[in-house]
Amino acid sequence: MMKIRWIVSMLYIMVLILQAQGQTKNHNDSKDISILDSGITYGQLPNGFTYYIKPIAQKSGKVSMDLTVRAGENYQNEDQDQMAHFLEHLPFVRTKHFTKITRDVNLLSELQMQAGDIMGVTGANETVYTFDHLAGNLAAFKTGLLWFRDIASGNILFNKEDIDSEKEIFFQEYLYGNGPGLYTTVKAVSLLSDCMKSVQNPENHKNYIRNLDIAHIQHFYKEWYQPNRMALIVVGDIENPEDMMQLIKSTFGDIENNQTPKLPIDCRENYLARKNQFVLLKEVIKDPEIEETPILFRFFIRNQNNQFKKTSTSNSNLIKEMGLGMLNKRFGKAMSSSYSIPYKIYAGHDTQLPAIRIEVKVGETHGKEGVQKAFSIINDVKLNGFTINEFEAYKQETINRLSQIDTLSPLYWNKQINAHFIDDKMMQKPSILIDFLERLCLNEFNSFMKEYFPEMPEDIAVIASEEMDLKISERKIRQWIKESKKVENDEFKPYLSKDLLSLEQIDKLKPVNFTDNGMDEFGAHKIILENGIKLVLKPFSPSPDRYQNDILIHGFNSKGASNLQKEDFYNAILISDIVQHSGVGNYNKYELQESLQDYKLSYSVRPYISSQVSGIEGEVSGHSFEEALQLIYLYMTEPRWDMQAFNDWKRQEEIQYMRLHGIDRVRRNFINVIQENRGNNIPMRMSTKRYESVKTVNYKKAYQIYKSLMQDPGNFTFIITGDYSLETALPLLRKYLGNLPSKSQNPFLETDNEQFPTFHPKTPIKKVYHPNIPIQNAHIYQTYLRQSKDTITLKEQIEYNLLTGILNLRIYELRLKKERAIYKAAATNDIDISNKHQFINLILSCSIEDFPKVENDLIEMVNSLKFNGIEEDLFELVMRSNYNYYYSNVARNKNKKMLQSLYNHYQFGSPFYEQDHVDSIIKSIKRKDIPLIAQKYLNDKFLMNFVAKSNVN
């Protein structure tokens, strides 16, 4: 079972530092405890089992428990390929005391936990199992200890039927993660080093998984899963660390070690000792729709652990991360210097090897140009260093990131402690790193960079399509790199800040008069500006989440592509992307990005046109609010007409489409089939339908349509939410939005010609999609479409979400209880308020062999809900989860949720509900109501059944 942790941007730098530090080393039982934080309770039992307990002052109400095993993919022998990852799956299937623990609804309900609280992940050098629970829940803590003890004491049960079933699921995970498409990346690593041994060709992968030897898995388990290679990390809202420590000692103290295993070859150190290498690989995945597969050059600069003036490793790694970040900014500037740049360049740490990886992706005829551009930039840094403007700007950006790291979060401490257990290190505290950066000067930094980036990479890998007759050699490529010193880099002159609008332009924009219509039910101020624009202003303190500190802006016009002539539908749908690719006023796209770089507005403010609505959206910080309004003003008054940009947009669309292949394209084209039958004609990005529609765009007409829709202030409403001051914001809104001009007429909307028809899906239907790319599994997407005469009520919304939550748990039981070959399965819902359509979707992929069984399983699952309902434990679990996620005061007070509620109110007339009313509806729904709710929404007459599978005769 894959463990997915959404790592917030605040931890970005710290994660990168950990990656840079990730050197494999020989481990022993001696740990340097002097570097541990004084608030950590640390100990090692006589058998070597290690524990860390860290209470944190932030009262989150949660406790995070991680069992870390010092064994991962790099510990596998050649006959053990993928054993570490497969073994990680097995504790979730069956141990001595637990069977399919993440889907034991009775247990989860009793412990007040959810399936997502129990997870696992396999890395190169460690495997981590997680069991998170509410603080003070002693039963949950003891249950987690018991599950961990099963894992640590040899009590993972190797039942043949379980393992055979999990093999099929394991292969589905491989397909879900586009394993076939990643083959050449992994293969290159295996050829350059002893890491990632015995990489399986996609053609052999299924048979290899099916023939995994239980004895080999058991051997890996017995050899590496020993208490002296394990640590329990407990972090969170802890009041009794002494009591926890005693329970840990009594739970793990009597587990005996087997004989000490022979440590594996340190493949990373072995890689560093090798001679320079060259690898040429051919893509093994053939996509008949691809006309041109790019060449991918990968250059590896080995990490030699050079230090920065004898300072700490953390300081040196921070300098390296800054250097890579600034180098990528230079690459980005080179790629953004003009339209029709034929290469993509990126630098970063390789995830498997101790090396910096420089990637250059180019067309077949531009290899030399792309490679030389990349290394000419590196040479320029070595020769001249970075400029003071680059350095100060990136240093401040880094300081800002470090200052936002929450050092009281469990995630922060889990990473700190894990680094101590695995590598005998701990990261420097952000305050210490900030102090170091504030004292760092440009000359010191550039001196380090000149040593950090060598003139020539040690290793080169080239990946190209099977059809390409590459007359290329290591000698030729290295000659290109030597000659790159002669390539000029004029684009890296000192940056001169530019204003979006000149002082003269700004001075002409005077705040207009307005009418104050008081406050609405949401507590938002209703204001109408002189030009007819309606403002809905909701300054408030949002609940914590990623948008808590942003100001959210949504301006919308209740007309869209469906209001136009049918022939203009795709002109309208695609023109907002063209405008963003072109720029505004006198600024092309690249000049605009440079002008906005200090405000980070390039992609946070964006116009859009959908089927029924058009408008502009943005998520901006308080300090860039005025600049955001200036950008909105320009997008609505001066969209740039630029034929060169338009032609380049078409070319980039083609390139993106051609680069996407295999299962990714199948998924997009399959979704298009579904959307078309549900009445949505907007094509997915990088799909075949999108590619075909791009070729039909009439730029002149599309541009005129954009202006007609955007220059219509009388039909625009702007909703603005977040923690801002009304007194500060309103004058700026009167100044920029109040001066948006109005078109006297709109010839594109006032037409008698045929418009794009309103589509009313017909049910029930079944559609089978046969992709032209062979796929090794089947994709099922079942939609129950309910069409209402009236707008959906709050009670119906609650019922929809409740029923979806129940289905989401039930559908995953197909894997865990019926042992179907399914890796990911989900139930979702969406509501089309404008057309009064409500959808409940059952989405999964499964093996070809299990496909008929799964279709029947879905029928049985739905019928069981309609006629038998659900258990009390499951009902309470879903009700609690739904309330916390959707309907609690905290959830409704989140910034994005508030914006959406206001939009639904002003666009569709959705009413405001007091919290007491919401709570009363939720309390009124009982377990006995579930069959009635299921019968209401899961009627067979509503079913739209979509299947994607290869057409096999």
Side-chain angles (χ1 to χ4, degrees), residues 121-270:
V121 66
T122 304
N125 299 308
E126 70 272 350
T127 302
V128 182
Y129 299 93
T130 296
F131 194 97
D132 295 343
H133 57 84
L134 293 176
N137 190 331
L138 183 60
F141 180 71
K142 287 183 176 180
T143 301
L145 292 184
L146 182 58
W147 185 56
F148 287 161
R149 178 185 167 85
D150 277 357
I151 296 170
S153 60
N155 283 322
I156 298 176
L157 301 187
F158 292 83
N159 180 287
K160 185 178 186 308
E161 290 184 0
D162 288 338
I163 289 177
D164 287 344
S165 175
E166 197 64 26
K167 287 176 182 179
E168 299 301 319
I169 294 166
F170 193 73
F171 181 67
Q172 292 302 311
E173 179 180 348
Y174 166 77
L175 295 177
Y176 181 85
N178 195 19
L182 297 175
Y183 168 74
T184 49
T185 295
V186 179
K187 184 65 176 177
V189 170
S190 72
L191 293 174
L192 291 171
S193 71
D194 286 330
C195 300
M196 309 298 290
K197 301 181 181 71
S198 304
V199 180
Q200 302 301 313
N201 188 293
E203 294 178 358
N204 306 329
H205 198 94
K206 190 170 188 176
N207 285 334
Y208 176 78
I209 296 299
R210 284 183 169 176
N211 292 308
L212 283 177
D213 191 331
I214 294 179
H216 286 167
I217 305 170
Q218 288 175 310
H219 179 74
F220 186 89
Y221 179 45
K222 291 176 180 178
E223 187 171 26
W224 298 112
Y225 276 52
Q226 300 186 41
N228 62 1
R229 303 189 61 78
M230 295 181 177
L232 178 61
I233 301 170
V234 187
V235 178
D237 197 348
I238 299 169
E239 294 183 356
N240 51 354
E242 246 346 276
D243 292 345
M244 277 189 172
M245 180 176 66
Q246 294 306 319
L247 284 171
I248 292 169
K249 288 181 177 180
S250 63
T251 302
F252 299 96
D254 65 341
I255 304 174
E256 296 182 359
N257 287 294
N258 298 321
Q259 64 181 20
T260 303
K262 180 182 178 182
L263 286 174
I265 295 174
D266 190 336
C267 62
R268 294 164 69 91
E269 288 296 330
N270 185 46

Side-chain angles (χ1 to χ4, degrees), residues 200 223 274 288 290 334 383 408 415 469 487 608 687 734 929:
Q200 302 301 313
E223 187 171 26
R274 288 187 168 194
I290 292 185
L383 182 63
L408 297 179
K415 290 193 172 296
D469 182 19
V487 176
Y608 73 91
S687 67
R734 292 166 57 200
D929 298 326

Side-chain angles (χ1 to χ4, degrees), residues 256-492:
E256 296 182 359
N257 287 294
N258 298 321
Q259 64 181 20
T260 303
K262 180 182 178 182
L263 286 174
I265 295 174
D266 190 336
C267 62
R268 294 164 69 91
E269 288 296 330
N270 185 46
Y271 163 73
L272 292 174
R274 288 187 168 194
K275 294 181 179 179
N276 292 356
Q277 300 169 92
F278 177 75
V279 170
L280 178 60
L281 282 172
K282 297 289 188 177
E283 286 280 8
V284 298
I285 304 298
K286 172 60 180 170
D287 186 339
E289 292 192 27
I290 292 185
E291 297 172 12
E292 179 186 354
T293 300
I295 304 173
L296 181 60
F297 293 88
R298 285 193 170 131
F299 302 95
F300 297 86
I301 299 172
R302 299 179 189 177
N303 289 342
Q304 300 299 338
N305 293 323
N306 46 326
Q307 291 288 105
F308 179 76
K309 291 193 173 180
K310 300 182 180 179
T311 63
S312 71
T313 301
S314 291
N315 287 346
S316 293
N317 286 328
L318 182 60
I319 294 296
K320 294 173 185 178
E321 299 313 320
M322 284 185 61
L324 277 180
M326 292 166 68
L327 182 64
N328 273 321
K329 282 188 176 290
R330 285 210 168 188
F331 287 159
K333 195 168 184 179
M335 292 183 290
S336 302
S337 58
S338 67
Y339 294 109
S340 302
I341 296 293
Y343 43 75
K344 300 287 184 184
I345 312 172
Y346 172 76
H349 287 289
D350 189 83
T351 56
Q352 297 293 334
L353 301 176
I356 298 168
R357 190 173 75 199
I358 310 293
E359 287 195 357
V360 182
K361 187 179 285 188
V362 294
E364 185 174 359
T365 58
H366 295 281
K368 180 179 180 179
E369 181 182 354
V371 169
Q372 291 197 330
K373 188 62 179 180
F375 282 93
S376 72
I377 293 170
I378 294 173
N379 289 332
D380 192 42
V381 169
K382 284 184 63 64
L383 182 63
N384 302 312
F386 290 102
T387 67
I388 187 65
N389 287 337
E390 288 176 293
F391 174 69
E392 291 297 337
Y394 202 83
K395 182 168 82 169
Q396 189 57 51
E397 188 177 321
T398 305
I399 289 173
N400 291 342
R401 286 177 184 155
L402 290 169
S403 64
Q404 292 175 27
I405 291 174
D406 183 2
T407 58
L408 297 179
S409 73
L411 181 58
Y412 171 80
W413 284 104
N414 277 329
K415 290 193 172 296
Q416 284 271 33
I417 296 169
N418 193 65
H420 180 261
F421 177 65
I422 298 298
D423 292 312
D424 206 15
K425 301 172 183 176
M426 286 192 76
M427 299 178 291
Q428 289 279 21
K429 292 182 178 179
S431 58
I432 296 175
L433 293 173
I434 290 171
D435 181 64
F436 167 73
L437 284 179
E438 287 176 338
R439 292 182 282 105
L440 181 65
C441 70
L442 177 63
N443 287 339
E444 292 176 311
F445 181 78
N446 279 337
S447 296
F448 185 81
M449 286 300 107
K450 289 177 183 180
E451 299 297 323
Y452 185 44
F453 295 121
E455 293 185 0
M456 184 68 66
E458 286 86 351
D459 308 304
I460 302 172
V462 182
I463 301 172
S465 71
E466 194 69 42
E467 291 74 25
M468 287 185 185
D469 182 19
L470 285 182
K471 296 178 180 177
I472 199 167
S473 65
E474 178 182 9
R475 181 178 179 182
K476 179 183 285 189
I477 296 172
R478 292 191 183 277
Q479 186 61 36
W480 291 350
I481 296 172
K482 288 178 181 178
E483 294 171 356
S484 66
K485 293 179 180 180
K486 302 175 184 177
V487 176
E488 297 293 332
N489 287 297
D490 295 331
E491 60 265 36
F492 303 116

